[in-house]
Amino acid sequence: IHMYRNEVKSAERSFKLAQMIYPSAVTLDALGCVAFKNGEIKIAKKYFQAASQDPTYHNAIANLAVVYHSQGDRKGALLLIK
């Protein structure tokens, strides 16, 4: 809800707490989204890469492709989503 309301700091606190209580690819991906929204591209990339290690969770791969594309690496982005 915090992200939809553009309450990025509150969202980050909530996702970090959730990750401490119950670590998951979903919360790592969410933290990557927060970092990306804050312009922290390297941090976002690390979160998305960590989340993409879960073979059952695919959203992080798409988000990682967005990071690559934002850095001008269109080829890398396309390789991820194929």
Side-chain angles (χ1 to χ4, degrees):
I1 293 176
H2 294 297
M3 286 295 281
Y4 292 112
R5 293 181 180 167
N6 205 31
E7 299 168 350
V8 181
K9 289 292 181 193
S10 295
E12 182 177 24
R13 284 192 300 272
S14 295
F15 294 140
K16 283 184 176 181
L17 179 61
Q19 184 65 12
M20 286 174 31
I21 294 169
Y22 189 80
S24 73
V26 175
T27 52
L28 288 170
D29 185 53
L31 285 165
C33 290
V34 168
F36 188 80
K37 189 165 180 80
N38 284 334
E40 299 168 327
I41 306 303
K42 288 182 182 179
I43 294 170
K45 189 175 180 180
K46 288 181 183 180
Y47 278 126
F48 295 144
Q49 287 171 331
S52 70
Q53 297 305 303
D54 180 340
T56 65
Y57 188 76
H58 306 289
N59 290 4
I61 294 169
N63 286 333
L64 191 54
V66 170
V67 168
Y68 282 22
H69 189 266
S70 76
Q71 294 179 313
D73 185 0
R74 183 177 171 179
K75 186 176 181 179
L78 288 172
L79 286 173
L80 283 172
I81 58 174
K82 285 189 174 186

